[in-house]
Amino acid sequence: MNNKFKSLAAVSALVFLSACGGGGGDAAPAGPGDPADVPLAQAPALVQQYAALFNNARAQSRTCGTVQAPAVAPLTKWNAKMQQAAQKHADDMATNRFYSHTGSDGSDVNARNLAVGYQGTAVAENLMRGTGSPQAIVQAWMNSPGHCLGIMAGLAQSVAIANNGVYTVMVFGD
């Protein structure tokens, strides 16, 4: 199986990111990102902490469930608009006491990003309900096949992490 097909298979697997109890997530082919992307070093400290954990995981090939995921390039960018969309979703889940990739208004990750003006494409969205350190949350995602594939999505270049109480939202963009 060539790397291009493996990447396509991994992205296709992201369509169903419900191991955490959420609904299905949408994945789309990556595009040029967003002109407002900035280097990851300009991201808030929490985003940088998670990004370091994600990049450590992405640096090694691994098996996500039954799918072999090759090592992929590190995340290098952050986008304030994508961050805003992730935070709005975390806030929505906390305020309305639900847990899903579908917002209380019926939106999906791409619609939420478009609503704040993000011009890239969401490559993956992972959710977590519960408390724990960033290390514990990332480890839980790595132990879940769908979430692991989201983290290993080679098309992803940018990252946003939002939290509201027990709800954590990770979004990777192209």
Side-chain angles (χ1 to χ4, degrees):
M1 182 183 286
N2 68 37
N3 283 341
K4 191 172 186 179
F5 183 74
K6 285 181 186 175
S7 294
L8 184 58
V11 171
S12 297
L14 296 177
V15 172
F16 189 71
L17 293 178
S18 65
C20 62
D26 291 325
D34 185 286
D37 287 343
V38 298
L40 194 52
Q42 295 178 28
L46 185 65
V47 174
Q48 290 184 40
Q49 184 178 6
Y50 271 93
L53 296 166
F54 295 140
N55 285 340
N56 284 340
R58 290 164 64 90
Q60 304 169 29
S61 65
R62 62 186 66 249
T63 303
C64 298
T66 60
V67 177
Q68 185 62 34
V72 293
L75 302 163
T76 59
K77 298 185 272 182
W78 174 76
N79 185 288
K81 292 181 258 181
M82 191 168 66
Q83 183 72 36
Q84 181 183 4
Q87 189 64 58
K88 282 185 174 183
H89 190 51
D91 295 346
D92 182 28
M93 289 189 294
T95 299
N96 294 300
R97 296 188 170 179
F98 73 98
Y99 182 59
S100 175
H101 290 281
T102 302
S104 63
D105 61 357
S107 64
D108 65 12
V109 64
N110 283 315
R112 289 188 289 274
N113 281 332
L114 287 171
V116 297
Y118 180 71
Q119 295 177 28
T121 301
V123 174
E125 177 182 67
N126 284 351
L127 307 178
M128 176 64 72
R129 179 174 47 194
T131 58
S133 68
Q135 294 84 356
I137 290 171
V138 171
Q139 187 59 55
W141 281 333
M142 295 309 295
N143 291 337
S144 166
H147 297 95
C148 175
L149 286 170
I151 291 168
M152 298 302 291
L155 299 173
Q157 298 177 36
S158 59
V159 58
I161 291 286
N163 184 272
N164 184 324
V166 299
Y167 299 97
T168 300
V169 177
M170 173 213 91
V171 180
F172 285 172
D174 64 358

